Amino acid sequence: DAIGLRLQALHEGGHSLEHVHVLRASDPISPRVGRDGIEEASFGEVDLTEQLAALRDWLAAEGRPPIALVVVDTVRASMTGSEDSSEHVSAYLRAVRRIMATVPGAGCILAHHAGWQDSAETHRKRERGSSAFRGNVDATLYLEVTEDLPETHSAYLTLRSLKVRDDERPAPLRLVRRRVALARLDRHGQPMTSCVIETDTRTTADVEAAEDRARAEEDHALDLKVLRAVFDHAPTNKDAIRELVGGAKPGVSASVSRLLLGRLMLPGRRGEPYRVTPEGEATLEGASS
């Protein structure tokens, strides 16, 4: 499966997996609620607690380092009920805390997905579902792709903290994801692939230059959408443009300002539509060719 392939990619890349242990769980860990309304541990919670305790005891008997970190992958796969319900999310997190009581010295990471509406245009960066996730954890980390490099099958990533309880938020961690071919063939006889994530070794100047390029590309793409909307629909105000292109209001306003300043379109008089200039039409033609 995906976890197995990624562990193999790390192993073949020279990383030690000596202290990595995988516990397989098939049942969700969200608690059950009995007919009397009392919360009870689910089969999944009991099973995972027993597996974790057995691993803890075996490591101690072998004189090996104790468990330092538990990663639950993923929240949705290990949870029942609605992730939009604060009641269901809070119950799930209570189950996680009971499980972690088995290894009181360890931390726990809950791998969860971002909201589907999050994007560079909306500037929304948050976990999917109820705000109870953010409210009931010690820290929230957000991992995002900051630059995709399809020609090299890699991507630059940034891991930033959105919340840290009772402490300062640390600086963002810059990473790079690389695709690797494994020493294993698929059913078609082709090498199977996975990915590894490593530290981004670029300088601060290199990172800032790349971020500037990415922002410029996003701005250019939005400008073309706004220009096309004005050319095709002749909107009379910025709100009408925003409805046509679907972008956030600040981004669309900034795009309109850039296009007006660059003389690619002109504002109409009161109540009249924006107009695309000949230079703007040439820009649209060049983008479509």
Side-chain angles (χ1 to χ4, degrees):
D1 58 12
I3 292 178
L5 289 177
R6 291 176 184 176
L7 291 176
Q8 183 178 346
L10 288 170
H11 176 69
E12 293 181 6
H15 298 276
S16 173
L17 301 179
E18 180 183 1
H19 303 304
V20 176
H21 309 275
V22 178
L23 303 180
R24 299 291 183 181
S26 57
D27 294 312
I29 61 178
S30 292
R32 298 180 298 172
V33 178
R35 294 181 178 179
D36 53 3
I38 297 177
E39 188 172 285
E40 303 174 350
S42 64
F43 293 120
E45 179 184 338
V46 172
D47 175 60
L48 187 54
T49 300
E50 291 176 349
Q51 288 194 63
L52 203 57
L55 177 60
R56 175 202 63 198
D57 295 343
W58 178 80
L59 291 172
E62 294 292 319
R64 303 182 67 179
I67 297 171
L69 179 67
V70 175
V71 180
V72 178
D73 186 15
T74 62
V75 167
R76 182 64 267 178
S78 58
M79 176 185 173
T80 57
S82 171
E83 60 189 12
D84 295 318
S85 165
S86 61
E87 180 180 355
H88 294 168
V89 169
S90 297
Y92 171 83
L93 294 175
R94 286 195 295 271
V96 171
R97 290 192 182 90
R98 288 194 294 269
I99 293 170
M100 292 304 299
T102 309
V103 283
C108 179
I109 290 179
L110 302 174
H112 193 34
H113 296 91
W116 68 270
Q117 291 182 325
D118 292 5
S119 68
E121 291 183 359
T122 61
H123 299 286
R124 296 178 64 190
K125 301 184 186 301
R126 61 176 182 82
E127 63 283 354
R128 196 171 68 187
S130 170
S131 60
F133 281 118
R134 185 82 60 94
N136 287 282
V137 298
D138 294 321
T140 302
L141 305 177
Y142 189 90
L143 181 66
E144 61 181 326
V145 175
T146 51
E147 186 178 2
D148 209 353
L149 306 171
E151 65 277 5
T152 60
H153 305 292
S154 59
Y156 289 113
L157 314 174
T158 299
L159 181 68
R160 66 182 78 252
S161 56
L162 302 184
K163 168 196 173 179
V164 177
R165 178 173 289 160
D166 300 328
D167 205 347
E168 296 292 331
R169 289 190 293 176
L173 182 62
R174 305 193 186 280
L175 307 164
V176 57
R177 184 190 68 215
R178 304 188 191 281
R179 190 174 79 173
V180 295
L182 305 175
R184 183 192 298 187
L185 302 180
D186 61 20
R187 58 191 180 91
H188 302 292
Q190 299 297 317
M192 299 184 71
T193 62
S194 185
C195 66
V196 294
I197 295 179
E198 303 167 341
T199 301
D200 183 358
T201 58
R202 295 177 299 169
T203 65
T204 300
D206 291 337
V207 172
E208 291 176 350
E211 291 176 345
D212 288 342
R213 288 194 302 271
R215 279 193 293 268
E217 291 174 359
E218 291 174 358
D219 289 346
H220 180 63
L222 180 57
D223 290 351
L224 290 176
K225 289 174 66 176
V226 170
L227 206 57
R228 174 57 65 185
V230 171
F231 184 79
D232 291 342
H233 303 284
T236 59
N237 54 64
K238 293 179 183 178
D239 287 337
I241 294 175
R242 185 168 60 87
E243 291 181 4
L244 290 168
V245 303
K249 188 171 184 178
V252 171
S253 295
S255 177
V256 169
S257 298
R258 286 193 298 270
L259 293 170
L260 293 175
L261 187 62
R263 305 293 293 179
L264 298 181
M265 72 181 197
L266 297 173
R269 296 179 180 179
R270 183 180 297 274
E272 294 182 352
Y274 287 94
R275 305 188 310 277
V276 175
T277 65
E279 292 84 355
E281 293 183 19
T283 299
L284 287 174
E285 292 175 2
S288 60
S289 61

